[in-house]
Amino acid sequence: MVNLHKSFSIILAISAVISFLLVSARLEASKKAFEIARPFERPDYVPAASDVTIRSLNFRPMDKNDSYDTLEAMQNFHATRLEWVYLRFNDKEEQLIRKVKDLGRVFGTTGQCATGVVVEMAAGREYVANSMVQLDGEPLFLEHSRHWTVPIYPGCVNNPTYKKVNLEYYNRNIDYGAQTIQRDDPSSQYSFAAAGMGCFCEHCMEKFSRYLDENFTDNELKNKGIDALESFDFKQWLFDNGYVKDNKMTDNPLKQPFIDFQLQALVNFYKDIRSAVNVHAKTRVPFSCNNTSYQRWEQPYYHEFDFAISELIVNTANPVHIYERSQAARSFGKVQVFGTPKSQGKDFDEDFMTALKRRVVAATYASGALSRVPWDIFQQTRDGRGRYFGKPENYADLYAFVRANDRYLSGYQDAGAFGPGLEENPYGAEKPVLIESEEKDIYAFIRAVPGDKQAPVVIHLVDWNQQNKPFKLVLNNKNFFDSDRLSVSMAVPVEYVKSEHDRAEKAALAMLEENEKLSGRQSSAFASFSKTVKLEISKDNSKTAVNVPAINPWAILIIDTE
Ligand SMILES: [Zn+2]
């Protein structure tokens, strides 16, 4: 009897657990997009979700043989921000900067890691001052610039002269009208230390001794093989103890402290530069950085920047990487502007690259990031001179589509992404969207307004196949709204007609009030570049099936209640 009672209790307990699990699974499965999307306070000093960024390394045309024109390109691609411009500090530039601002654009310049390094030719060789220094005393340079006319010699952030000249340069950019500043190659001091290559200049050696003094006890130092810090010289110590091979530091008890020291020095450098620039400008100057073709965010020095404008390589030009890195940026409170893939000197088919760049543009905005216009793209050829200048007829339709759809971009946040390589399903057991397609690489990026159960939910569809074919989507109604009946419409970009684009650009400018910048407020000027497509839809109370016609490569599905 006792045993029977016991068994009965166990059965009761098990059923209770099972019903709890069933209820939880049901609750989990009916999570809605607006609940999955997490709020993100987007600072007003970073690019908005429907902004378009273009770079021009120098103002063009640079001379009378130059067929490229920066201001023309800026308008042709409907860019709202012209950033990453190197100034030569002349009167003509001052006029051009005024013009950029009169045209309602944010204007930003740049300074890179070698700004403040002096390179002089004398007696047939280069003399470099203020740069980072290798163990053999020679200046360090960035490997990819090895074959350039003048390689990039990064300055040493522990060198007071470099710091002074670097700051003076930024302040001069502010005086010329820069509203944002981009820092190229921000990682040098850390990367070279981590690789055991530097910097071993006298300033670094002196400051490293001080760092050891402040961070380690005498006993700890003794255990690492240091007797007296007063006479300690790290570089000499490495040579004396046989910790040098091929001009690099090998594993040793001070390797990690040295890397930590250089990392801290780099973070402090950016903190100091930024606060000094703010004082000079009498305002908070937004800084961006080039966080490489891999969109790195994890190292603390990247966090000293407000947003990143990066490059991209063919290997990282894929939707899984773009989505993952966009969410990583957001997790650090940052915004990522992606470059479009550079050729790195390889001979890619032009049509293949154009199609790939179009897909990249689509995937970045679909992931809540931005894409820099494929114009004045550094190709990373051997001599460093290769540049790519995209044509408006290949890309302007996509950027006009972005400008037109501000209402479905701004305020929207990630609510899950699906497609090959994106296996995580934040909704629980069932997926909110199933993609049924002959072709493999179709991606669906769900975006919703966090906490807003009324706002339409959008699904950005990006077709990553070379051939675009129709496909089918099946939506799980309960993941979208309380209502069982969904209404679905689809917006796609419109084929490029130059005169239409010129007209829209003028209309947007005419809407600007005094001192106003271009933004989502002028999206109606671009409305005709987002076309609603008629869809074949079949629905019941739990599922909505949509036949999607071929898209090239981007569509926004707008899901609402009936
Ligand atoms: Zn140094």
Side-chain angles (χ1 to χ4, degrees), residues 303-414:
H303 300 177
E304 297 304 317
F305 299 91
D306 300 309
F307 59 105
I309 310 176
S310 72
E311 297 177 37
L312 201 68
I313 52 175
V314 172
N315 278 355
T316 49
N318 68 73
V320 176
H321 176 85
I322 290 169
Y323 173 74
E324 194 274 321
R325 288 288 90 192
S326 303
Q327 304 328 307
R330 216 203 73 168
S331 73
F332 293 112
K334 309 292 180 181
V335 166
Q336 181 72 47
V337 182
F338 286 84
T340 46
K342 54 190 176 186
S343 66
Q344 295 180 288
K346 293 189 194 104
D347 202 10
F348 287 106
D349 175 70
E350 186 74 21
D351 290 344
F352 165 83
M353 281 303 259
T354 303
L356 180 63
K357 284 171 184 147
R358 286 178 61 82
R359 296 197 287 269
V360 165
V361 176
T364 56
Y365 284 97
S367 301
L370 286 84
S371 138
R372 176 154 62 87
V373 173
W375 196 85
D376 205 355
I377 299 295
F378 170 63
Q379 294 284 64
Q380 204 177 321
T381 47
R382 193 177 151 90
D383 64 3
R385 289 192 186 142
R387 297 282 181 274
Y388 173 81
F389 293 89
K391 296 189 177 85
E393 54 264 42
N394 288 332
Y395 307 103
D397 61 327
L398 300 179
Y399 291 108
F401 186 65
V402 168
R403 298 288 304 279
N405 281 298
D406 172 69
R407 60 186 287 215
Y408 296 124
L409 292 166
S410 291
Y412 277 78
Q413 299 300 336
D414 172 50

Side-chain angles (χ1 to χ4, degrees), residues 131-133 156-159 189 199-205 262:
S131 79
M132 294 173 70
V133 176
C156 171
V157 302
N158 289 313
N159 182 327
Q189 200 87 14
C199 169
F200 299 102
C201 79
E202 54 182 312
H203 305 285
C204 284
M205 295 306 92
Q262 293 291 20

Side-chain angles (χ1 to χ4, degrees), residues 18 36 102 135 139 187 265 277 463 489 526:
I18 290 173
I36 301 282
D102 287 346
L135 278 167
S187 70
V277 169
D463 187 340
S489 61
F526 297 92

